[in-house]
Amino acid sequence: MKTSNYLIGFVALTSLTLVGCSDNDFLGTDNGQEVAKQGNGEITFVAGNAKTTRAGEFVGATAAEKLGGMFVVEGTKGSEQTNSPSTTVVFDNYLVGYEYNSAGKTETNTNNWEYVGKQTGITGRLTADTWTALHGAGTAQAQTVKYWDYSTDQYDFIAWSTGLREAVTDAAVAGSKVKVTRINTGTTLSSNGFKLTAASAADLLQCYYTDINTVLKANYGAPVTLTFRNMAAKARIALYETVPGYSIKDVKFYTSDANPTAPADLGEGTTTAATLFTMGSDVLPQSGEVTIFYPHIGTEHRGDPQTADYNKASVTVGEVTGGATSPTQGFGTLEAQYGEEEAHEAAGNFYLGRSLPNATYAGSSADNYYTAVIPNTNGKPLTLRVDYTLVSTDGSGEEIKVYGAKAVVPATYTVWQPNYAYTYVFKISDNSNGWTSQTYTDPKGLFPITFDAVVTNFIDANAEQATITTVATPSITTYQQGHDPKIATNDEYSKSQTAGVSDAVKDVYVQVMNNSGTPALATDLNGTNKSLLFAVTTTGAPISEATVMDALQNRTNAYDAASPAGRNGITLTTNANISNTVESIVNGVDDQPITVTAGTAAKIAIGSLATGTYAYVYATKVPENDVRIYNIVDPTVTGFDATKYYEVSLAGDGTDAVKAAGSEAAEGKVYFVKNYKSDNTTFDSYTFKQTKVGDDVEGLVEVTIPGSKASGYTEGKYYFDVYNQNDGEYAVKVIKVVE
């Protein structure tokens, strides 16, 4: 099972969130419900079974509708070869068509899918001429009934569909038609694959392909289930704002990186389409040639361990020679679903959403705001540039126009893969890089824009993301009299700093700004366990705000331990050289103090500290309890030490009992899913299922975590790391103390 990987970056100018995941609107995989075997020997097909599958998957008539009521299949039989599946062709680019309420009317139709006699084509989808063109001289010229051959070891199948578009084989690709090539012109399902070419993303959105489905002898007699994936990608963009005291309206999108021009040139008084654009000579293809191939097939990749993408389809997308390109990608307009007005705002205006969950999307809600795009496997840097108007929410009616605010999405995050959907979220804050004057001579950044990026890698339809990340919003300011940030490196503060009139060592002061909602100075630093100082050491993990945060939230000791020991190898040792009750801050070269209210500032007595790395921590929420988390670890990695982990075992034949309906996850237990082979009855393996106390565990195998750790490694056992995850929320700043 794949899991998703997270990359968090902070880029000056604007805020951007990219999310890539399997799109639930695309046809998903069959959920493994058992399909009854047929009493006769005819080979039949089904595109997903008729039972309920996971959310976002389509079966039965719905699947048939998305496939345009047809697909083309290549099938072979025999024994698997070293670098290919079976070799004897059985289904040579057979056309399989869907006929409502036709199941059982012929011996080859048990699920409304029929292939016998379909060489005449299907109106509007694939003509008899196209069918003929998919078959070379000397190949079968009719589609006849096929029977399971029990003298062979296996059958192998792949297929494609052009959905609601007509499949053609001629050179010219026009709108609403998709050019197709014959599947594997040789005698095997080789790695060469096949191609589909579409003139637009909307056409490609109708096209589907499959992995190789291998049917072993034990499963002969059941309908052949084919799982289809979409060939297009989809993308959407959204904006939200966090400017204190202002709302944002009249967002105007640029289509190039030209110097900002008068709003009239961008259609002031009208709505402009949300647009991302390329720069320089880069362009985006508007048509695509998709090649489907199978790089890891045959016994060479089926061994133990099996290659991860054994029998899986790989996809490359190329530009069509002479095909259209564009420097822009549009996503529709924002206006139809802007946020609601705040107090004192003029009626009839529409404003950007004011939080990430309520971001304002471009496009149509009917499509979940997605726009079909040609897959872009190379990636191109994409730019967002906008004008917008700030409207004061204090009732004054004040407006400020901002021109030319810009953000660039790196090419790394614009690699659009088929069958995935991407979301780009831009945050406009009070850290803007636009101008408030059209002369462009005034300082840029009066309203600074900051952009932070969260990138989620692609996720299998079955994947679960068990990681929980808390993002703390307070900003921490540290100050030492005479401290020169141009000289210091990485927040270094000197123990010998004696700037000012006196020769006393200058302490470090800390204040915390709460930036959620209206910015406000934190006044509770003198609360119990609210403002803390820790010395930081590590056994391997790099020390940063993020790793210290993880050590605070995920500990090998309890949440109320004085010195947290992080699961990541970072140890935080409580240091008492901090005062949270100071009422003045030494300021300036003349040592004149600034009076502050107790609880709004902390003082770190730097002269009493040893040199090294420290972390200042402000708890926006002091932890009150924690839960035990069990995390499976890989015992095959180099240097694995089993004595650091807990060991459990399961029956190798899959005879472990499963939990009954209504069962809930309990403390001190771990849970596994039983996996079955393609016949859905023969036990295959176990998969660990991440749960928390109280989760529904019906159908899962429950195992008790032992009280002591393993004494050594044993083949076939499962090993777990156990840590405590608390409910605290923190803001962190790492500082380094030097002489």
Side-chain angles (χ1 to χ4, degrees):
M1 179 180 72
K2 292 181 182 177
T3 57
S4 61
N5 299 316
Y6 287 86
L7 170 64
I8 302 177
F10 299 94
V11 183
L13 302 184
T14 234
S15 177
L16 152 71
T17 301
L18 302 88
V19 180
C21 63
S22 295
D23 180 17
N24 285 338
D25 290 339
F26 292 154
L27 187 63
T29 60
D30 183 77
N31 73 336
Q33 298 278 1
E34 184 175 2
V35 181
K37 293 186 177 181
Q38 308 307 309
N40 299 315
E42 303 87 4
I43 298 177
T44 62
F45 291 94
V46 59
N49 62 60
K51 297 182 180 180
T52 302
T53 59
R54 292 185 304 273
E57 297 175 351
F58 303 97
V59 296
T62 305
E65 182 179 358
K66 288 195 170 289
L67 295 176
M70 73 91 187
F71 59 83
V72 171
V73 64
E74 179 86 356
T76 61
K77 69 177 183 180
S79 298
E80 189 173 29
Q81 305 300 299
T82 303
N83 294 299
S84 70
S86 50
T87 57
T88 301
V89 175
V90 179
F91 291 87
D92 178 22
N93 287 264
Y94 267 39
L95 171 61
V96 185
Y98 188 83
E99 301 175 6
Y100 290 95
N101 300 319
S102 63
K105 292 182 179 179
T106 68
E107 58 188 357
T108 52
N109 183 350
T110 59
N111 293 277
N112 296 318
W113 289 97
E114 179 63 87
Y115 59 84
V116 173
K118 288 298 180 182
Q119 64 270 15
T120 55
I122 297 176
T123 302
R125 301 291 183 263
L126 191 151
T127 65
D129 288 343
T130 296
W131 184 91
T132 300
L134 292 175
H135 297 78
T139 61
Q141 294 300 304
Q143 293 189 182
T144 60
V145 62
K146 297 290 185 179
Y147 295 93
W148 294 104
D149 181 357
Y150 282 85
S151 69
T152 62
D153 296 328
Q154 68 184 56
Y155 282 73
D156 297 279
F157 301 91
I158 57 176
W160 55 256
S161 172
T162 56
L164 300 178
R165 298 297 191 255
E166 182 181 348
V168 297
T169 56
D170 49 44
V173 179
S176 300
K177 297 180 185 292
V178 176
K179 181 182 177 181
V180 296
T181 64
R182 184 181 176 195
I183 301 175
N184 293 294
T185 56
T187 59
T188 67
L189 299 184
S190 70
S191 60
N192 297 332
F194 53 93
K195 294 180 181 180
L196 279 78
T197 306
S200 71
D203 293 331
L204 201 60
L205 189 63
Q206 298 293 328
C207 299
Y208 296 86
Y209 64 96
T210 73
D211 294 329
I212 294 176
N213 181 16
T214 295
V215 179
L216 300 178
K217 185 184 297 186
N219 300 314
Y220 292 0
V224 177
T225 301
L226 294 170
T227 298
F228 291 84
R229 296 194 181 99
N230 196 268
M231 286 189 180
K234 296 203 282 190
R236 61 184 178 179
I237 70 171
L239 293 88
Y240 73 105
E241 59 94 357
T242 59
V243 181
Y246 290 87
S247 295
I248 290 180
K249 68 174 184 177
D250 297 338
V251 180
K252 308 296 181 183
F253 294 86
Y254 290 65
T255 58
S256 71
D257 198 41
N259 286 331
T261 56
D265 294 337
L266 297 179
E268 187 173 19
T270 64
T271 300
T272 62
T275 304
L276 298 179
F277 56 86
T278 61
M279 297 173 64
S281 60
D282 284 341
V283 291
L284 297 171
Q286 301 301 298
S287 57
E289 180 180 80
V290 181
T291 300
I292 312 297
F293 61 102
Y294 303 87
H296 295 119
I297 54 181
T299 56
E300 179 180 349
H301 300 286
R302 183 177 53 81
D304 187 16
Q306 179 174 294
T307 303
D309 57 353
Y310 166 74
N311 273 5
K312 300 295 184 183
S314 289
V315 179
T316 60
V317 183
E319 298 180 17
V320 178
T321 302
T325 60
S326 174
T328 64
Q329 177 64 60
F331 297 91
T333 61
L334 294 171
E335 184 180 58
Q337 39 90 55
Y338 274 4
E340 296 295 327
E341 294 91 344
E342 287 186 349
H344 306 300
E345 291 174 343
N349 289 326
F350 294 95
Y351 302 90
L352 286 186
R354 296 164 178 89
S355 67
L356 183 57
N358 298 310
T360 301
Y361 286 84
S364 169
S365 60
D367 299 320
N368 204 15
Y369 306 108
Y370 283 112
T371 295
V373 294
I374 295 293
N376 181 17
T377 52
N378 292 323
K380 309 285 186 182
L382 296 179
T383 299
L384 172 82
R385 195 162 200 181
V386 293
D387 290 356
Y388 57 88
T389 300
L390 292 165
V391 182
S392 176
T393 59
D394 63 0
S396 65
E398 177 207 8
E399 293 188 357
I400 303 174
K401 293 186 182 296
V402 178
Y403 305 103
K406 182 175 71 171
V408 178
V409 184
T412 306
Y413 310 136
T414 63
V415 176
W416 294 336
Q417 297 284 1
N419 198 44
Y420 284 96
Y422 302 86
T423 300
Y424 299 87
V425 181
F426 298 88
K427 180 179 71 176
I428 302 176
S429 73
D430 56 355
N431 195 19
S432 170
N433 63 353
W435 288 267
T436 59
S437 166
Q438 288 179 261
T439 64
Y440 319 128
T441 57
D442 294 326
K444 181 179 178 182
L446 180 60
F447 294 90
I449 284 189
T450 60
F451 285 71
D452 52 20
V454 179
V455 182
T456 307
N457 260 358
F458 315 131
I459 308 173
D460 278 347
N462 282 327
E464 296 178 359
Q465 176 58 41
T467 302
I468 300 172
T469 302
T470 301
V471 179
T473 57
S475 61
I476 298 171
T477 300
T478 51
Y479 168 77
Q480 182 186 38
Q481 184 183 355
H483 178 253
D484 187 352
K486 294 181 180 180
I487 298 175
T489 303
N490 296 327
D491 286 323
E492 289 181 357
Y493 291 91
S494 173
K495 291 179 58 177
S496 58
Q497 177 64 38
T498 59
V501 175
S502 73
D503 293 330
V505 173
K506 302 306 179 185
D507 295 316
V508 174
Y509 292 87
V510 185
Q511 288 193 297
V512 178
M513 287 292 295
N514 183 354
N515 294 330
S516 60
T518 303
L521 190 65
T523 60
D524 59 352
L525 274 61
N526 53 356
T528 303
N529 293 326
K530 292 292 291 185
S531 176
L532 303 167
L533 180 67
F534 297 100
V536 185
T537 56
T538 180
T539 59
I543 298 174
S544 69
E545 279 78 7
T547 58
V548 170
M549 183 86 74
D550 189 80
L552 288 163
Q553 294 175 319
N554 302 288
R555 310 182 185 185
T556 60
N557 52 5
Y559 78 93
D560 55 355
S563 297
R567 64 171 179 177
N568 57 5
I570 285 182
T571 298
L572 306 174
T573 304
T574 301
N575 191 287
N577 293 299
I578 182 171
S579 171
N580 295 303
T581 59
V582 295
E583 297 183 358
S584 67
I585 297 175
V586 174
N587 182 59
V589 293
D590 60 355
D591 297 321
Q592 292 299 308
I594 298 175
T595 301
V596 296
T597 302
T600 63
K603 181 178 73 174
I604 298 173
I606 191 170
S608 301
L609 299 179
T611 57
T613 302
Y614 294 81
Y616 173 79
V617 174
Y618 173 75
T620 61
K621 179 182 183 299
V622 176
E624 298 175 349
N625 53 65
D626 55 21
V627 294
R628 299 273 279 175
I629 301 295
Y630 304 95
N631 186 43
I632 198 164
V633 294
D634 182 4
T636 64
V637 298
T638 302
F640 175 77
D641 182 2
T643 62
K644 294 181 179 179
Y645 304 103
Y646 296 87
E647 175 189 85
V648 301
S649 61
L650 291 161
D653 58 0
T655 57
D656 290 293
V658 298
K659 301 298 288 183
S663 300
E664 294 183 348
E667 181 72 21
K669 309 288 185 180
V670 290
Y671 297 86
F672 292 80
V673 178
K674 281 186 179 181
N675 300 313
Y676 295 91
K677 295 184 178 179
S678 55
D679 61 355
N680 299 309
T681 58
T682 304
F683 173 76
D684 181 57
S685 62
Y686 289 101
T687 300
F688 172 64
K689 170 82 170 179
Q690 182 76 61
T691 60
K692 62 180 182 294
V693 174
D695 281 353
D696 180 8
V697 291
E698 176 185 354
L700 301 181
V701 175
E702 180 182 85
V703 183
T704 301
I705 288 286
S708 58
K709 295 183 178 180
S711 59
Y713 172 63
T714 303
E715 182 69 24
K717 303 287 187 179
Y718 296 88
Y719 293 86
F720 289 86
D721 185 16
V722 181
Y723 60 92
N724 300 300
Q725 185 175 84
N726 64 66
D727 59 353
E729 298 174 5
Y730 311 90
V732 176
K733 185 164 187 180
V734 173
I735 62 174
K736 292 180 173 60
V737 175
V738 297
E739 290 294 344

